[in-house]
Amino acid sequence: MKRHSDVVKCPRCSEVGSLELQPGLMNLDYIVCEACGYPLPVTQGIPNFAEPLSRETRELSIKQRIMETRLFASMYETPIWRPLHTFLSSGMTVEKQQAELLEMAGAGEKGVVADLACGTGHFTRAFAAAWPDAAVFGLDLSMSMLRQGLSLAIKRGRKNILYVRGSIFDLPFADSSVNLVNCCGALHLFEDQPAIWAQIARILRPGGVFTGEAIARDDKMEKIQELLSARRGFRFLEPEVVRTQLEQVGLEDMTFTKRKIILTFRAVKREASS
Ligand SMILES: C[S@@+](CC[C@H](N)C(=O)[O-])C[C@H]1O[C@@H](n2cnc3c(N)ncnc32)[C@H](O)[C@@H]1O
Ligand SMILES: [Zn+2]
């Protein structure tokens, strides 16, 4: 059984397995890297890989500043936010979406799971419940979302989740170490999606699965989507563009399903050819 520590790499020396990380609330100010002595900050109980501040943490966009607020984090899973938005944008319930992602994740081994831009972790918890022996990570940039996620995981008895603060552009996981990467409700927020695909391809094991969903480009929303892209750096997903970009980083066997404006997808990291 993999431990969370086995796949995390030190942000200073890149050694894997040198930071003693535990799921649940970490009551420490630092965890010291056994290889280089780097004191990884633990902020409000959550190991913090986004320090020193990266460019995107220093210059938080308006959309990210909202996601950093405690109010947003506390209402995120209530009926007026994620469930309502999921229904309006895809016609699905969140529960149905979770069940679909679990099915797409497939039956293969799930020793390590990483839910990227996990927010308050409703998908993270679904993975942790489905694979109680897996080392499950929830990674997000927002401390408020992570704090809410940690408190919900503790309340619901999900003992195999480690929430970490980090950026999707600089994942603190070893190469070829993760069996399942998931990212929901976030990819349309980022301009440089190819940089994210490269990170995901790097951390996935050969044969590992990438699942998720995000808002697709939609002709009926053309004007508003163009405005959000120009003014706020959104990039709404186009299956053919995503397919080509994922192929370029070594992912294959892709499936895309569009419901209303939500694109759900799955891809598999190519096995090394013999
Ligand atoms: C709309 S929420 C999605 C949360 C959850 N995955 C879901 O499906 O409901 C988008 C999340 O992306 C996170 N985020 C934004 N920029 C990020 C980055 N560079 N790295 C990691 N997470 C980021 C935000 O903090 C926020 O929690
Ligand atoms: Zn180190």
Side-chain angles (χ1 to χ4, degrees):
M1 208 169 105
K2 280 268 183 216
R3 297 176 324 136
H4 291 81
S5 309
D6 296 339
V7 297
V8 169
K9 69 178 183 159
C10 168
R12 184 197 274 167
C13 71
S14 298
E15 182 81 12
V16 176
S18 59
L19 290 157
E20 198 44 55
L21 299 157
Q22 303 291 337
L25 182 64
M26 267 187 266
N27 232 343
L28 303 161
D29 292 331
Y30 297 98
I31 299 164
V32 176
C33 171
E34 285 167 14
C36 73
Y38 173 69
L40 178 78
V42 178
T43 308
Q44 299 173 49
I46 291 167
N48 191 344
F49 290 86
E51 300 277 350
L53 297 180
S54 57
R55 189 181 55 75
E56 68 264 31
T57 27
R58 280 197 314 270
E59 300 163 16
L60 286 180
S61 59
I62 293 177
K63 57 198 177 203
Q64 189 56 21
R65 268 183 257 152
I66 296 169
M67 305 214 204
E68 296 284 338
T69 63
R70 265 202 264 171
L71 177 66
F72 187 73
S74 61
M75 69 163 197
Y76 191 75
E77 290 193 32
T78 65
I80 59 161
W81 198 264
R82 187 49 152 112
L84 180 65
H85 282 74
T86 302
F87 188 70
L88 295 177
S89 59
S90 69
M92 288 174 96
T93 62
V94 173
E95 291 73 21
K96 181 97 200 308
Q97 219 173 35
Q98 286 169 333
E100 184 180 44
L101 285 163
L102 287 172
E103 197 181 320
M104 288 191 323
E109 198 215 320
K110 299 286 178 288
V112 182
V113 177
D115 187 23
L116 309 180
C118 64
T120 54
H122 54 212
F123 292 103
T124 328
R125 295 197 303 277
F127 294 127
W131 297 293
D133 292 334
V136 178
F137 291 91
L139 175 139
D140 202 281
L141 199 53
S142 159
M143 260 336 276
S144 302
M145 295 293 243
L146 289 164
R147 290 274 306 151
Q148 178 77 1
L150 179 56
S151 128
L152 288 170
I154 290 171
K155 270 191 209 135
R156 311 231 171 131
R158 297 282 161 249
K159 298 203 167 95
N160 55 333
I161 304 177
L162 177 66
Y163 284 103
V164 296
R165 180 167 190 244
S167 173
I168 199 164
F169 293 99
D170 186 17
L171 297 173
F173 309 120
D175 296 358
S176 302
S177 64
V178 180
N179 302 85
L180 170 67
V181 173
N182 181 69
C183 184
C184 285
L187 289 163
H188 51 270
L189 300 171
F190 306 111
E191 270 182 298
D192 191 0
Q193 287 161 359
I196 299 175
W197 313 143
Q199 283 287 304
I200 291 170
R202 178 183 70 72
I203 66 167
L204 269 179
R205 283 172 171 274
V209 179
F210 171 37
T211 55
E213 53 83 17
I215 302 180
R217 209 185 75 75
D218 191 277
D219 289 343
K220 291 196 276 308
M221 313 266 293
E222 195 178 348
K223 285 275 169 301
I224 174 95
Q225 290 195 336
E226 272 175 12
L227 195 72
L228 287 168
S229 301
R231 299 267 175 87
R232 297 277 171 248
F234 283 72
R235 287 293 176 273
F236 299 97
L237 272 59
E238 296 178 66
E240 286 322 308
V241 174
V242 175
R243 180 185 295 280
T244 307
Q245 293 175 345
L246 290 180
E247 273 167 6
Q248 279 164 359
V249 295
L251 272 68
E252 60 185 14
D253 284 348
M254 283 164 236
T255 57
F256 295 94
T257 308
K258 190 172 174 225
R259 292 189 192 88
K260 293 192 176 181
I261 58 165
I262 295 298
L263 187 72
T264 307
F265 55 84
R266 172 187 199 269
V268 179
K269 182 164 167 182
R270 206 172 290 139
E271 300 274 1
S273 50
S274 49

